Amino acid sequence: MIRGAIFDLDGTLLDSMAIWSTLGERYLRSIGYEPRECLGETFKTFSTEQAARYYQEHYGVALPIPRIVAGVNDMIRRFYQEEAQLKPGAEDFLRRLKNLGIRLCVATANDGALARETLRRCGVLDCFSQVFSCADLGVEGKGEPAIYRIALAHLGTKKSETAVFEDALHAVRTAKADGFVVAAVYDPYEPEQAALCALSDCYLTDYGHSEDFFALAQQK
């Protein structure tokens, strides 16, 4: 039986991954430069500072790195404050879990305050007892299980009774290897869907097709 659930934010609850794949292009256009490439792929492993240096070296952007970083961060902030939306059916799904007495929290690599603000704007912050952020806690990203273990301790549930909802393969691998029940959520920005499906205990193509999860959740 599932008694607790830990939700990722971007790509799992929020339909927000597009901002990360197009952020480089958005930023360049905002300061008057036309991108010549798909920067989402180029910046996949870059920090914001590394991306700023790339703008300088490859596009001739004359702004200092701290100003570029501030501009990019402001663009991200505005997206979450004004544009980001829940995935279809997510609110009904969350409230159904709550009605079953399942405790819910969020574990995200995103900024915690921004995550809470976005969830409040989308009308579901009240579903969660806490929002945990890797950055706020000073723990590794989701290649390591630290954030899930902290969330688990807060929920007070057993790993075998706690579902982790994730859309990214590396995060699913981490949670599964650490002994959690894993519910994978489809997002088009994760290319390894077959591997995601094979590794997870339950695979949700969308929140409107979730009966397999509720059957799993109520197994004793």
Side-chain angles (χ1 to χ4, degrees):
M1 180 173 284
I2 300 299
R3 302 182 188 278
I6 302 167
F7 279 85
D8 171 54
L9 187 70
D10 292 293
T12 300
L13 285 174
L14 296 181
D15 192 5
S16 56
M17 292 306 295
I19 183 64
W20 299 104
S21 66
T22 62
L23 183 61
E25 290 90 335
R26 282 189 182 210
Y27 176 72
L28 279 177
R29 290 190 178 108
S30 76
I31 58 172
Y33 293 81
E34 187 59 32
R36 300 185 298 268
E37 62 196 294
C38 176
L39 289 166
E41 190 61 32
T42 303
F43 291 170
K44 201 167 187 179
T45 61
F46 280 22
S47 67
T48 311
E49 289 79 9
Q50 287 173 316
R53 192 168 294 111
Y54 189 92
Y55 294 137
Q56 291 178 333
E57 295 173 356
H58 292 265
Y59 285 88
V61 174
L63 299 172
I65 285 177
R67 187 170 169 187
I68 294 173
V69 170
V72 171
N73 287 339
D74 185 58
M75 186 169 284
I76 293 169
R77 191 176 301 108
R78 288 200 311 271
F79 171 79
Y80 283 96
Q81 289 172 338
E82 301 170 9
E83 297 181 46
Q85 297 296 327
L86 292 172
K87 285 194 161 184
E91 180 173 3
D92 289 344
F93 182 79
L94 292 171
R95 298 206 180 278
R96 187 172 174 187
L97 292 179
K98 287 272 288 182
N99 288 339
L100 288 172
I102 296 172
R103 298 196 67 200
L104 312 178
C105 68
V106 170
T108 179
N110 208 331
D111 177 79
L114 196 57
R116 284 186 285 273
E117 184 178 353
T118 305
L119 291 168
R120 183 180 294 109
R121 177 177 59 78
C122 291
V124 294
L125 183 61
D126 65 296
C127 292
F128 303 102
S129 57
Q130 187 58 273
V131 174
F132 296 101
S133 161
C134 294
D136 295 351
L137 293 167
V139 299
E140 295 289 334
K142 291 181 177 177
E144 299 293 334
I147 188 77
Y148 302 126
R149 293 177 180 179
I150 290 169
L152 180 72
H154 164 77
L155 292 176
T157 51
K158 298 177 182 177
K159 276 186 187 177
S160 60
E161 298 176 338
T162 306
V164 172
F165 287 79
E166 286 280 359
D167 66 293
L169 182 58
H170 74 280
V172 165
R173 280 179 174 150
T174 299
K176 185 68 175 175
D178 205 49
F180 288 91
V181 179
V182 176
V185 180
Y186 170 77
D187 189 86
Y189 289 91
E190 171 54 72
E192 301 292 340
Q193 291 299 317
L196 201 69
C197 183
L199 192 59
S200 61
D201 296 285
C202 184
Y203 179 79
L204 281 68
T205 55
D206 60 65
Y207 288 110
H209 295 84
S210 55
E211 291 311 312
D212 285 349
F213 175 78
F214 285 106
L216 174 67
Q218 296 178 73
Q219 286 178 5
K220 295 185 178 180

